[in-house]
Amino acid sequence: MSLDKPYRDIPGTTIYDADQARKGYHLNQFAMSLMTPENRERFLADEAAYLDEWPLNPVQRQAVLDMDLNAMIGEGGNIYFLAKIGATHGLSFQQMAGSMTGMSEAAYRDMMIGGGRNPQGARLKDLDGWTPPSTEKATTMRPDAPAKFTSAVFTSHVPAIGAAMDLGKTEEPYWKKVFDGYEWTRRWAKENTPDVVILVYNDHATAFDASIIPTFVLGTGAHYPVADEGYGPRPVPDVKGYPEFAAHLAQSIIQDDFDLTLVNEMVVDHGLTVPLSLVYGELGTDEKWPVKVIPLAVNVVQYPVPSGRRCYELGKALRRAIDKWDGPELNVQIWGTGGMSHQLQGPRAGLINKEWDNAFLDHLIADPLGLTEWQHMEYVDEAGSEGIELVDWLIARGAMDDQFGGGAPEVDHRFYHVPASNTAVGHLVVSNEVAPHLAESASANASADESANQELEEATA
Ligand code: DHB
Ligand code: FE
């Protein structure tokens, strides 16, 4: 089931979508570079030399030298970017638009004065055999879809956990109690390495500062450097993205009425790297994470933040997008990270609410739709101002198969511990189906589970 892109067939029209954006990335960025007088001067003085600074393909390069806008658009250029090249040459939008029609400048201007181009005969609708695409939202998932959403991982993401790993403190009694809760997961993760993790997290005024507050960000880039949050970048591998799959997800989710911000270049902070470290262990900068990662960042820094219900619905749109993928077979995990209860500010700092956290976990597992009715006030009042990070988890949960008529998911592992720094640590591994090897290794894991359960009982007592 391929995505509907009927706009590709509109006569004489190239729609700039994520595929085109990837193709034209350097061409468009080159065009943007002409927004300073110095660069325009250098470009006009020696176009070929200036273009040597940009990794354009030969067709793109020649198209710029020829000022051939149709060729540039075919190669992924977008008219608003390319207009900077035209403006550098002193061209108006009317001259640029006219240059693509095969008409003379005068004939094009006269056509516009005469009322513009008549749509009659210039529409897709005028072609034989065209039917409008379906706008229905799927409520069940294809059993044979090439991309399978296998498991969800939920975890807190405290920066001090990353520091404990980076500074070799994981065996200290304080930290051992935290890391013991991830032992099971690390064993499981070795046998259950997906191709790609869609990692839902929240940026902490790292990639996004006060100049821009996007509510939902989908990372469509190929590579995300590890951020310097003020104490130097964590000594862990940079993160590799999956642009093709991310572009597909973006196309489907935005057409499913979710207005994502698409980001090709950003650094990733502890919200994303600490969960990777917790699951995949200590890896140095010369190593690689075993998975591709598509970051999905939720604004929880500045109010208003999205509701739990909105996040759950985004999860559903995400699941429908995964289902529509018709590329290579993929094992996909979705991780929901952040939380649990913590407050990092003001006289109420240090707030922990074990009862509420565990009620959240119970509802997340058994009653996610009910959980969507919990309001912001509830999160902040009960779980602390930074406990709001827990809305991230609803995205991963809303995507699970039982929300599309499938069976209840299996809780493979559950852990809860207080504290890590200022935070209650919560962690779940939940699978859409019991993988056969899990059943086999279940007895081996029983003792680890028992101690985790005991810890849970102690923590909730
Ligand atoms: C802490 C927890 C967080 O989630 C965070 O983003 C920063 C700090 C903490 O407990 O110290
Ligand atoms: Fe956080």
Side-chain angles (χ1 to χ4, degrees):
M1 186 207 303
S2 64
L3 277 179
D4 280 326
K5 293 188 177 178
Y7 53 75
R8 287 195 171 152
D9 299 327
I10 297 175
T13 306
T14 305
I15 295 297
Y16 179 74
D17 61 7
D19 290 331
Q20 287 295 102
R22 254 187 312 123
K23 195 168 165 189
Y25 182 79
H26 295 295
L27 175 61
N28 289 318
Q29 296 296 67
F30 144 70
M32 295 301 284
S33 76
L34 299 177
M35 290 170 74
T36 67
E38 304 78 50
N39 282 351
R40 287 197 289 274
E41 206 171 297
R42 283 205 304 121
F43 173 66
L44 290 173
D46 188 344
E47 293 190 20
Y50 189 88
L51 289 174
D52 284 345
E53 297 167 20
W54 293 88
L56 305 187
N57 71 38
V59 181
Q60 291 171 331
R61 183 186 165 92
Q62 195 56 48
V64 175
L65 293 171
D66 297 343
M67 195 54 210
D68 180 343
L69 285 166
N70 277 327
M72 288 187 236
I73 286 173
E75 285 296 308
N78 168 277
I79 188 59
Y80 291 117
F81 293 79
L82 302 179
K84 275 69 180 182
I85 312 175
T88 299
H89 287 300
L91 299 174
S92 70
F93 262 105
Q94 188 171 93
Q95 286 169 314
M96 288 189 263
S99 80
M100 291 183 269
T101 60
M103 299 166 80
S104 71
E105 200 179 315
Y108 184 80
R109 192 188 55 230
D110 290 348
M111 177 181 81
M112 295 314 298
I113 290 170
R117 186 183 302 284
N118 189 335
Q120 194 78 46
R123 291 177 299 214
L124 183 58
K125 292 193 186 79
D126 299 325
L127 303 178
D128 275 350
W130 183 74
T131 46
S134 157
T135 52
E136 252 171 60
K137 294 185 181 183
T139 54
T140 57
M141 296 293 98
R142 295 186 288 164
D144 57 345
K148 301 253 182 303
F149 172 25
T150 50
S151 301
V153 174
F154 302 91
T155 179
S156 308
H157 67 205
V158 187
I161 292 178
M165 292 182 69
D166 301 342
L167 302 172
K169 293 184 178 170
T170 57
E171 290 301 315
E172 290 181 4
Y174 178 97
W175 287 114
K176 195 169 176 339
K177 293 193 189 106
V178 173
F179 289 102
D180 280 354
Y182 290 82
E183 282 284 308
W184 183 92
T185 309
R186 287 186 180 181
R187 284 198 304 275
W188 170 85
K190 284 208 172 84
E191 293 165 29
N192 294 274
T193 313
D195 298 294
V196 56
V197 170
I198 299 167
L199 206 158
V200 186
Y201 73 113
N202 52 281
D203 178 76
H204 301 79
T206 305
F208 309 109
D209 59 22
S211 65
I212 180 163
I213 319 287
T215 299
F216 294 119
V217 167
L218 189 78
T220 44
H223 169 239
Y224 305 97
V226 174
D228 181 341
E229 297 176 57
Y231 41 82
R234 290 192 58 216
V236 296
D238 282 350
V239 173
K240 298 282 177 257
Y242 192 167
E244 296 82 358
F245 191 47
H248 162 89
L249 298 177
Q251 173 83 17
S252 177
I253 293 170
I254 294 171
Q255 296 210 319
D256 214 337
D257 304 327
F258 268 92
D259 311 317
L260 301 176
T261 299
L262 306 183
V263 174
N264 288 318
E265 285 163 25
M266 65 176 176
V267 292
V268 287
D269 73 6
H270 69 269
L272 187 133
T273 64
V274 166
L276 285 172
S277 295
L278 277 167
V279 173
Y280 296 120
E282 277 97 350
L283 289 174
T285 48
D286 54 341
E287 293 175 279
K288 282 187 185 153
W289 298 114
V291 289
K292 293 175 180 161
V293 177
I294 297 180
L296 205 177
V298 180
N299 165 47
V300 297
V301 171
Q302 179 180 320
Y303 263 64
V305 303
S307 64
R309 171 170 292 274
R310 185 80 180 142
C311 290
Y312 169 90
E313 291 295 342
L314 174 54
K316 293 197 76 171
L318 173 60
R319 184 69 188 89
R320 287 192 285 266
I322 294 168
D323 195 59
K324 285 184 189 154
W325 171 253
D326 61 1
E329 290 205 349
L330 292 178
N331 180 335
V332 182
Q333 289 180 5
I334 307 178
W335 295 9
T337 74
M340 303 205 73
S341 56
H342 62 307
Q343 174 150 340
L344 302 174
Q345 47 121 348
R348 205 170 73 131
L351 182 137
I352 295 288
N353 191 338
K354 290 174 183 172
E355 290 71 27
W356 192 91
D357 283 345
N358 279 285
F360 179 93
L361 293 173
D362 292 340
H363 282 267
L364 187 83
I365 293 164
D367 179 27
L369 201 54
L371 186 56
T372 64
E373 301 195 353
W374 297 17
Q375 303 296 313
H376 295 140
M377 264 298 292
E378 174 89 354
Y379 286 80
V380 176
D381 201 36
E382 295 281 358
S385 49
E386 280 61 49
I388 190 70
E389 291 181 341
L390 282 168
V391 293
D392 300 355
W393 297 30
L394 269 294
I395 296 178
R397 186 63 182 92
M400 298 205 78
D401 287 3
D402 62 333
Q403 304 308 298
F404 292 89
E410 189 89 7
V411 179
D412 301 323
H413 181 58
R414 175 170 173 159
F415 173 68
Y416 183 80
H417 171 78
V418 178
S421 185
N422 306 286
T423 308
V425 176
H427 173 43
L428 290 173
V429 179
V430 184
S431 294
N432 271 324
E433 298 165 346
V434 180
H437 69 269
L438 262 185
E440 276 165 34
S441 58
S443 58
N445 292 325
S447 60
D449 265 348
E450 251 161 50
S451 65
N453 287 341
Q454 197 180 330
E455 188 139 12
L456 174 68
E457 275 157 31
E458 279 165 21
T460 49

